[in-house]
Structures are given as structure tokens and as C-alpha cells.
Amino acid sequence: MSVDLVEVVRSGFRECVHRGSLVVIDVDGDPELEIGAVHTPIYPRSCNKPMQVLTLLRNGFVPADAAELAIASASHMGERRHIELVRRLLDRFDLVEDQLQCPPDLPANEVARAEVLTHGARPRRLYMNCSGKHAAMLATCTINGWPLESYLDSTHPLQEAVAATIADLTGEPENELAIDGCGLPIVPVSLVNLARAFARLTTAPDTTPERLIADAIRAHPDLVSGEGTTDLRLMTAVPGLLCKTGADGVQVGALADGRAFAFKIDDGSDRPRLPLAAAILSRMGVEWAEDPTDIAAQPVLGGGARVGIVRAIPGAVSQ
């Protein structure tokens, strides 16, 4: 059962509370902190992306560089550099935008969205935040001679391979698949096994596919997410951290030594992510590259002035 984790305090008054579940695992993969339903499968949403991309590497996809591997793992914001990388990936395999089957969208970044709208652009598949993954999946299908038009189907060889890879990394028993926001099958995973999977990426030997993904994401957090995002801020603030957001309140992170965490916010809000992740990472004793105060205490505004904070409930993650 989920518990109160993050509170919103306005002018000294607790205005609302975000509930959820979280787990922290040690270097051996054993839970050292369990709060809520950490053994019940959830939909990790985009937190599954590094595992999906691992499938591509295991099936012959060779990225041009670490930046291409990062954009394949990304929930990008549609910024110019993001779109250029997806285009480059498509061009490298003689693919075109219309072959992407993610839904058309506008850039998630406000500046990028305003720029394309100013020039009269409409939603495009390239702008959708999962376009890098879809492009890399099409490339892998091309390499293996698999059908391109049906790569979203759960019975497609690529998606069967994805399910097998996620089962391998998580040790999770088979569960019923759902359809993610980008149209691909989504494999349910419990929070504890999601954390263990990310720990396997960061602790894998150098040059292995698992480690290549972890290193690419940590080297290019701006490509995996975008300006002002949770992933970019956390990976910049904590050297060696691998982390990934997933829609509807899911977050996972792993340190180089194999310690890891994962949480799910019940109401799916993004607001609790940074303060909760900061509280967890502080509990784990990380070395911060910058003062974590601004991450741990997100501002609540009134009339343009700071009148309160969003913070992890004191003591919530110190059990």
C-alpha cells in the first residue's frame, strides 16, 4: 500500500500530499528500504527504454557514436539537436520519417515548440519524444530483415526480443503487456526489479552492451531528456548516476557501485520527482557536484514570489 512521500507547503500550510511507493537496493540487489507496493508490477513507461535499446544492441544495431545511442534511449524534448540526431539515424539506414509509427506531436520543450509553430509547422513524428527509439528499432529491423510496417506488434520478432531482454535483466515473471503512449508494447516490471535492472547496466563490465548504454546516457543526459528536465538535473548534480523518468510518476536511478532506487507516484504527477529523488540520493550518501538544496526544495509561487516548497516529507525516506 502506498504512503505519503512528498508534501506541498504553501505559506506554512500543507496544501496537498503526493503518495507513492519506493525502493532502495544495496550493492547486492537486496532492498534496504521498501515503502509501499514495491513488488507489484507497474508500467515503467519510458524507464524501460534503456532495456529496449539493449535489445537492439544484442540484435546487431551498432550506433554511430554515444550520442546516437543516447537519443535511441531518450525521452527527448524535441530540441534542435535532438531532431538532428534522429534524422541522422534515419538517413544512415535509408529510412524516412513516415516509417516511424510513433504518433505525431509537437516538441515538448516550450522554446522548441514555439519555434516550429512560428514557422507554421504542424505535429510531426520526428518531434515525438520517443522518435529516437522508434528510429533505432526500424534500423534494427532493417539489419535483421524483419518487417518494418509491423514493428509495433507484440508478436513481431523485435518486440518478442525486447520482452526477453527485459525478463533477462529484471528476472520478472511474464505479465500481460499493455500499449505505451508511443504505440509500442510496454512490459510491466516491479519497482524492486526495475532498480535491479538499472544496477545491472551501471555495474556491467566495460564495453559490454549494458555498460555502453549506461555510459552513453550518463555522458549525454541533455540528449536523453532536455533543458530543465529531471534526468538532466539529477545526472548533472550526481556524477556517475544513471537515471530515467517514466510517464505517470515513475523514476529509476542507479549509481556506479550498483546501489539503486525506483519509485512510482500514485497520481502520476511530475512535481514530486526532484525533491523525492534528492531525498533518496541524500539518504544513499551520494557526493553532490552542486548544492542539492534547489533540487530538494522546489518552489511554490504566489504572485510570482516564492511562498512555499515542494519537499519530501521529513523522515519519509529515512527509515
Side-chain angles (χ1 to χ4, degrees):
M1 187 175 193
S2 59
V3 301
D4 295 350
L5 293 173
V6 175
E7 62 183 3
V8 181
V9 179
R10 181 184 295 274
S11 302
F13 178 83
R14 179 189 275 189
E15 187 171 33
C16 62
V17 172
H18 296 282
R19 299 174 60 83
S21 301
L22 71 85
V23 65
V24 178
I25 63 170
D26 62 21
V27 293
D28 296 317
D30 297 322
E32 62 179 39
L33 176 63
E34 297 183 40
I35 299 176
V38 302
H39 298 281
T40 302
I42 61 160
Y43 294 133
R45 307 296 295 275
S46 287
C47 292
N48 275 357
K49 280 179 178 171
M51 294 185 283
Q52 290 169 318
V53 174
L54 176 59
T55 304
L56 310 187
L57 297 182
R58 288 180 172 181
N59 284 274
F61 175 68
V62 179
D65 50 30
E68 188 173 277
L69 189 55
I71 203 67
S73 307
S75 297
H76 67 72
M77 299 293 284
E79 297 162 22
R80 185 172 299 179
R81 64 189 183 279
H82 300 150
I83 304 308
E84 289 173 352
L85 276 169
V86 179
R87 281 201 185 104
R88 189 188 77 176
L89 175 53
L90 290 171
D91 290 345
R92 200 159 70 85
F93 289 89
D94 295 321
L95 298 163
V96 296
E97 180 179 353
D98 286 347
Q99 289 174 289
L100 298 171
Q101 293 186 34
C102 51
D105 204 350
L106 290 169
N109 176 274
E110 291 184 3
V111 174
R113 183 166 63 252
E115 182 178 334
V116 300
L117 289 173
T118 299
H119 290 85
R122 295 185 176 183
R124 295 178 58 176
R125 299 182 192 277
L126 271 177
Y127 298 149
M128 201 270 169
N129 72 342
C130 299
S131 64
K133 176 179 68 175
H134 282 251
M137 285 187 169
L138 284 171
T140 305
C141 290
T142 299
I143 291 166
N144 288 278
W146 292 334
L148 300 183
E149 67 280 355
S150 59
Y151 76 93
L152 295 184
D153 296 348
S154 62
T155 57
H156 189 282
L158 178 60
Q159 301 311 326
E160 290 181 339
V162 167
T165 298
I166 293 177
D168 172 41
L169 251 67
T170 65
E172 192 83 18
E174 185 175 339
N175 292 295
E176 186 173 350
L177 302 180
I179 303 300
D180 209 344
C182 68
L184 284 165
I186 183 70
V187 179
V189 179
S190 65
L191 289 174
V192 66
N193 285 329
L194 184 62
R196 287 168 175 156
F198 269 62
R200 286 189 62 180
L201 298 178
T202 60
T203 59
D206 291 346
T207 74
T208 60
E210 292 87 347
R211 185 64 175 273
L212 288 175
I213 292 171
D215 289 348
I217 292 173
R218 290 182 293 193
H220 299 284
D222 59 316
L223 300 180
V224 175
S225 51
E227 292 298 324
T229 60
T230 295
D231 287 334
L232 178 57
R233 293 191 66 183
L234 289 176
M235 284 190 277
T236 300
V238 182
L241 173 67
L242 169 70
C243 71
K244 186 74 189 71
T245 60
D248 290 325
V250 186
Q251 185 78 40
V252 59
L255 299 171
D257 61 8
R259 291 179 294 150
F261 70 90
F263 63 74
K264 161 74 173 164
I265 301 298
D266 285 0
D267 61 18
S269 175
D270 287 332
R271 181 168 58 178
R273 289 185 190 276
L274 277 172
L276 183 56
I280 294 169
L281 289 165
S282 292
R283 181 191 186 278
M284 296 170 74
V286 301
E287 293 187 12
W288 295 89
E290 59 186 61
D291 186 348
T293 302
D294 288 341
I295 296 176
Q298 295 294 292
V300 172
L301 302 180
R306 183 170 182 150
V307 297
I309 59 172
V310 183
R311 66 184 180 190
I313 294 173
V317 300
S318 60
Q319 302 175 27

